[in-house]
Amino acid sequence: MKNLKRQWKFIVVLIAGAVGLISQFALHSKSLFSIGNLQFPVHAIIIDIIGILMAISLLLEIFHDWKTGRYGVDILAVIAVVSTILIGDVWAEWMILVMMTGGETLEDYATGQANKELRALLDKTPRIANKLVDGKITEVKVDDLQVGDTVLIKPGQQVPVDGQIVKGTSSFDQSSLTGESVPVTKNPGDELMSGSVNGDVAVEMKVTKAAKDSEYQSIVALVKSSQAQPAKFVKMADRYAIPFTVISLIIGGVAWAVSGDATRFAEVMVVASPCPLLIAAPVALVSGMSSMSAHHIIVKSGPTLEKLARAKTFAFDKTGTLTENQLIVDQVVTDDKSFDQKELQSLAASVEQQSSHVIASSLVKATDKDLIHPVTNLKETTAQGVEGDVDGKHVKVGKLSFVAPGHEKLNVTSTAVYVSVDGKFAGYITLKDKMRPESPKTIERLRRQGAEDIMMLTGDHKQVAEKVAKEAGITDVRSELLPSQKIQAIKDVPKHLRPVVMTGDGVNDAPSLTAADVGIAMGAKGATAASESADAVIMVNDISKVNDAVAISKHTMKVANIDVLTAIGVVIIIELIAFTGVIPAFWGAILQEVVDMITISLVLLAKTKPSDKQFGLEEK
């Protein structure tokens, strides 16, 4: 609606100009009345009315900004319009109006170009599904699908909601969701993510999640959230606004005083229009947000980029962030000579094969399928462990107090499961976090990108945390923390080491993501509490995207600052030329419009690729 209002303003100004030209040159309009030396023909009255209305509209916007604590440079545009009205330079006034409304329209166009990737994601949202009812295909809205429905996915079609294949085998392109460039083959029983694209074979899928809870729709919800919070480039723009306004008013005032002619003041005010400053900043931010989206990073608001560009401290959660959501077997320790390591792991994995606990699933995944045997009389004791019969032996796996009471003095510092066979303690299996292969490189690159402090904040045991931190290259380790203690650790970061960026993935990370200056969520598995609380969400399972986010932010802010400072410098030079009286107000307005167009063109460079140094790929 706001963009439409801006376009109508531009159209009205153009129509007023056309009517004015016809009135003045074709109909030879005469003055309807005069005030002193000022004449008011029809075309002047038309353009003055439009000018006054535009000035009032702009004053209302300025008043609204002042109430919210913002002090911008719009006042210069109002002064320029009023000045040309008072000196009776109608066509200079009209050119300023064209410059103001045309600049806004150009800004909207540039913003739209910069924002294409975000809109493309929304445009691809699945809307129609082929529901199978008694063997017949019925087209239904995706939002009407319910858990348990069967859906036919034809070749080349998007998966409408999350589900599980019940019939057929095909390859699926998941690049827009996971970043994988190679299609993944899916068989009956495999999970499908909404938004992935089917290959050459039709498959039937059972719906496992409603549309609002599915993967692609979760991403779209995050994009809508980012669009609902448009980029407001407040800090940098306001930092330049007041001095620029003061300098321009001084130049204009001195020109008036020296020449004794109010026209000279108006000529300076015309070229002092602040459009470059007002346009460059927001377009640069939206361009940066667009580049983030192309790198599978959703940024919810513009100021996040400015904070990321200046970030000095980076904090990471451990599990699921620096490490994968998977454990690997570290050691198999036997306590009974009747069993070797291979057999002990085989018995434990066989009993654990039906458990959904992360330790159980990791143990089963790490064990050869040929060593996993059928289990009978399976019984699970909540928060303690499981037991069952395997190959005629009664096996218990779980906590030491559950498996072998009396062995509590056994000191194992790693994550472990304990095993007993036929009531006798048989040994234990330790597991360790599986480090993301890109984590150490990510930490190294962050230091090259200017990070002054990198810390790990985790609720895990000290020994486990320090082992992972050492492997990742982190020396500042805070372990055994509750969520409230993570928040306090972030708040305790001194001012000279801020802004603070926190990266996490779990529900327990949500409070600390909110407490940080910038919260980044690993949201590849969907919209969790972490991604809802974060300022930015990485939509692929790749922690190195934090490096990309920093690089794009630094590049965006560099382009924005250079462009704004260059534009201000050029405008002040033109003001000084106008000071001498060699630039009539009409041509000053045209010149200012040229500066606006150059400013917009240059600021779109924020969409270009950052340098290797900004990516942290060059040695310091």
Side-chain angles (χ1 to χ4, degrees):
M1 184 62 70
K2 183 178 179 181
N3 291 351
L4 187 61
K5 181 180 176 182
R6 286 178 158 189
Q7 291 172 8
W8 271 110
K9 284 182 179 180
F10 183 53
I11 292 171
V12 167
V13 169
L14 291 180
I15 291 174
V19 172
L21 284 172
I22 294 171
S23 173
Q24 181 176 6
F25 297 108
L27 303 179
H28 305 289
S29 65
K30 298 180 179 180
S31 298
L32 297 182
F33 61 91
S34 62
I35 300 177
N37 294 326
L38 297 181
Q39 303 295 315
F40 290 91
V42 173
H43 71 278
I45 293 174
I46 293 172
I47 293 173
D48 283 348
I49 290 174
I50 297 299
I52 291 169
L53 291 176
M54 293 293 177
I56 292 173
S57 174
L58 199 54
L59 280 171
L60 291 174
E61 292 179 16
I62 292 170
F63 180 69
H64 175 74
D65 287 342
W66 284 356
K67 286 198 301 182
T68 58
R70 291 186 58 195
Y71 302 94
V73 289
D74 289 346
I75 190 67
L76 285 176
V78 175
I79 292 173
V81 172
V82 174
S83 298
T84 50
I85 291 175
L86 292 178
I87 66 173
D89 195 333
V90 175
W91 292 111
E93 175 193 349
W94 180 75
M95 279 304 305
I96 294 172
L97 295 175
V98 170
M99 177 185 63
M100 288 168 52
T101 57
E104 291 175 342
T105 303
L106 284 171
E107 177 187 347
D108 291 338
Y109 173 76
T111 298
Q113 291 298 304
N115 210 17
K116 281 195 295 187
E117 285 88 353
L118 295 180
R119 293 202 315 275
L121 188 62
L122 292 173
D123 293 341
K124 292 178 182 177
T125 304
R127 293 180 174 84
I128 300 296
N130 298 314
K131 181 179 176 181
L132 287 172
V133 181
D134 298 328
K136 295 182 178 179
I137 299 175
T138 303
E139 282 195 353
V140 298
K141 292 182 179 179
V142 170
D143 291 339
D144 293 336
L145 289 175
Q146 297 181 356
V147 175
D149 286 346
T150 301
V151 175
L152 177 68
I153 305 170
K154 298 177 180 179
Q157 286 187 334
Q158 272 189 317
V159 177
V161 293
D162 290 357
Q164 185 180 55
I165 294 180
V166 294
K167 184 179 179 181
T169 297
S170 187
S171 61
F172 287 82
D173 182 356
Q174 302 179 155
S175 58
S176 63
L177 302 167
T178 65
E180 297 172 286
S181 58
V182 180
V184 179
T185 300
K186 299 285 186 176
N187 302 298
D190 288 341
E191 301 292 329
L192 290 178
M193 292 185 292
S194 63
S196 55
V197 180
N198 190 13
D200 301 325
V201 182
V203 299
E204 294 181 14
M205 179 193 80
K206 182 176 71 175
V207 176
T208 57
K209 288 184 182 179
K212 62 183 180 65
D213 300 318
S214 291
E215 184 74 18
Y216 196 84
Q217 285 80 354
S218 297
I219 300 174
V220 169
L222 288 167
V223 173
K224 287 181 177 179
S225 172
S226 72
Q227 289 190 322
Q229 303 178 56
K232 295 180 180 178
F233 202 32
V234 177
K235 293 183 180 179
M236 193 188 83
D238 286 353
R239 188 163 65 243
Y240 297 133
I242 294 177
F244 176 62
T245 302
V246 171
I247 291 171
S248 298
L249 289 173
I250 289 173
I251 294 174
V254 173
W256 186 355
V258 170
S259 65
D261 185 359
T263 302
R264 193 70 57 82
F265 176 79
E267 290 170 349
V268 173
M269 288 300 100
V270 167
V271 297
S273 178
C275 285
L277 180 58
L278 300 175
I279 292 172
V283 174
L285 283 188
V286 176
S287 295
M289 292 170 70
S290 174
S291 295
M292 289 280 201
S293 177
H295 283 77
H296 302 285
I297 307 163
I298 302 298
V299 177
K300 297 182 181 180
S301 64
T304 297
L305 277 81
E306 185 170 2
K307 294 175 185 176
L308 266 173
R310 296 188 292 109
K312 295 181 180 178
T313 298
F314 291 81
F316 291 89
D317 174 50
K318 180 180 72 67
T319 307
T321 304
L322 292 171
T323 65
E324 296 182 356
N325 279 313
Q326 179 187 340
L327 300 172
I328 56 175
V329 172
D330 186 20
Q331 290 181 304
V332 179
V333 181
T334 62
D335 194 58
D336 190 329
K337 294 181 180 179
S338 302
F339 303 101
D340 59 21
Q341 294 177 332
K342 190 175 182 180
E343 187 174 5
L344 183 69
Q345 184 173 340
S346 171
L347 292 170
S350 297
V351 174
E352 293 273 37
Q353 63 184 299
Q354 295 184 30
S355 175
S356 60
H357 192 279
V358 63
I359 293 178
S361 60
S362 298
L363 176 59
V364 172
K365 190 171 182 178
T367 305
D368 193 319
K369 290 182 179 180
D370 294 336
L371 297 177
I372 298 177
H373 307 299
V375 59
T376 58
N377 300 320
L378 186 66
K379 179 183 176 183
E380 182 170 356
T381 303
T382 304
Q384 295 297 320
V386 294
E387 57 185 301
D389 296 330
V390 180
D391 295 338
K393 301 178 181 69
H394 187 71
V395 182
K396 296 178 75 173
V397 182
K399 290 185 176 179
L400 188 58
S401 58
F402 169 73
V403 168
H407 286 72
E408 282 81 357
K409 291 184 179 180
L410 184 64
N411 183 25
V412 179
T413 58
S414 303
T415 302
V417 290
Y418 302 87
V419 186
S420 70
V421 180
D422 292 332
K424 185 178 179 181
F425 181 62
Y428 60 89
I429 301 171
T430 64
L431 299 98
K432 65 178 182 179
D433 287 295
K434 183 179 181 181
M435 177 69 68
R436 289 180 183 272
E438 71 273 14
S439 288
K441 194 70 174 177
T442 297
I443 302 303
E444 179 187 347
R445 285 175 59 192
L446 281 176
R447 290 197 172 94
R448 293 180 185 174
Q449 289 173 303
E452 295 184 23
D453 185 27
I454 300 176
M455 56 184 176
M456 177 195 291
L457 305 179
T458 179
D460 213 337
H461 297 296
K462 182 178 179 180
Q463 294 90 340
V464 175
E466 288 181 344
K467 192 172 183 179
V468 171
K470 184 178 181 181
E471 189 176 347
I474 298 175
T475 55
D476 188 355
V477 186
R478 322 283 179 91
S479 57
E480 301 179 14
L481 299 180
L482 297 172
S484 60
Q485 292 172 314
K486 287 186 178 182
I487 293 174
Q488 193 59 48
I490 291 171
K491 289 182 177 179
D492 288 343
V493 174
K495 188 175 181 179
H496 71 277
L497 289 178
R498 288 183 173 275
V500 180
V501 178
M502 172 70 189
T503 304
D505 80 314
V507 173
N508 65 317
D509 295 320
S512 52
L513 292 177
T514 304
D517 297 303
V518 177
I520 300 178
M522 298 294 294
K525 298 299 182 183
T528 64
S531 60
E532 291 166 4
S533 304
D535 301 295
V537 183
I538 295 173
M539 303 310 303
V540 292
N541 200 26
D542 184 354
I543 191 68
S544 71
K545 289 297 177 181
V546 174
N547 296 127
D548 293 351
V550 172
I552 293 168
S553 298
K554 286 181 179 294
H555 179 64
T556 299
M557 297 311 302
K558 181 180 178 180
V559 170
N561 276 283
I562 291 174
D563 195 36
V564 167
L565 288 172
T566 301
I568 288 176
V570 170
V571 169
I572 289 176
I573 290 171
I574 297 174
E575 287 178 23
L576 293 173
I577 297 173
F579 179 96
T580 65
V582 299
I583 304 178
F586 176 78
W587 290 105
I590 293 177
L591 191 58
Q592 179 58 248
E593 188 71 9
V594 173
V595 173
D596 290 349
M597 296 180 68
I598 294 173
T599 299
I600 292 174
S601 300
L602 289 177
V603 84
L604 286 175
L605 290 173
K607 289 189 68 178
T608 59
K609 185 179 182 293
S611 67
D612 285 347
K613 184 176 182 180
Q614 289 169 324
F615 268 118
L617 297 174
E618 287 184 355
E619 294 285 351
K620 273 193 168 183

